[in-house]
Amino acid sequence: MNIRKCTVVIIKRGAEYLVGRIPYSTELRWSGSPYDAWKTREKEKAQAVAHVVGGDLWLFNPIAGQLREITK
């Protein structure tokens, strides 16, 4: 397995990571752990969501436990 292919884009706002939308609600769920975060490999999709929620994009590799902010 190529560990680089496990790297995903997640959204962080303050000290919390976006998990998703609460079912049947317009509220968002946040978590203190990047392991709980909504994950995607599509940077453009993540940018659109981050813009709406006021968050920043981070690269996260759950296998290695590495977390790094994506610079603008």
Side-chain angles (χ1 to χ4, degrees):
M1 170 172 46
N2 186 346
I3 195 168
R4 290 183 198 151
K5 291 188 178 186
C6 296
T7 300
V8 292
V9 179
I10 61 175
I11 297 172
K12 182 177 182 186
R13 184 178 72 184
E16 296 186 311
Y17 302 91
L18 177 66
V19 175
R21 191 171 57 95
I22 298 172
Y24 310 108
S25 172
T26 57
E27 293 184 45
L28 298 174
R29 176 166 291 148
W30 297 86
S31 171
S33 172
Y35 290 94
D36 296 334
W38 168 76
K39 300 161 184 67
T40 184
R41 292 197 42 93
E42 298 178 37
K43 186 177 174 184
E44 293 77 23
K45 183 186 285 188
Q47 283 177 324
V49 174
H51 178 73
V52 171
V53 301
D56 299 312
L57 299 181
W58 288 68
L59 291 174
F60 178 57
N61 186 306
I63 304 297
Q66 294 176 333
L67 188 63
R68 185 178 63 156
E69 186 173 12
I70 297 175
T71 56
K72 297 177 183 179

